[in-house]
Amino acid sequence: MQTAKQAAKQIIDRVSDQATWDDIMYELYVRQKIEKGLSAVDEGRVISSEEAKKRLLGNEG
């Protein structure tokens, strides 16, 4: 498994030389959110798409 530092280096190496600080920060943010989501799936902390729709639409009953 890759460390956060290794992943950040890989992202920085991958972005174009014209990338701004905001571009780099966005890429790091997205990677972090993906990692958190994958961890949630591995731990079983997920809900069905139907349940998500109910919650978003306020139809929890």
Side-chain angles (χ1 to χ4, degrees), residues 25-40:
M25 294 302 293
Y26 175 77
E27 293 292 330
L28 293 169
Y29 173 80
V30 169
R31 174 67 184 259
Q32 179 191 34
K33 291 300 179 181
I34 290 170
E35 293 293 330
K36 281 187 172 188
L38 292 173
S39 291

Side-chain angles (χ1 to χ4, degrees), residues 6-28:
Q6 291 168 330
K9 283 182 177 183
Q10 185 180 40
I11 288 168
I12 291 169
D13 288 340
R14 191 185 76 233
V15 298
S16 76
D17 290 340
Q18 290 75 35
T20 65
W21 282 105
D22 287 340
D23 296 334
I24 294 168
M25 294 302 293
Y26 175 77
E27 293 292 330
L28 293 169

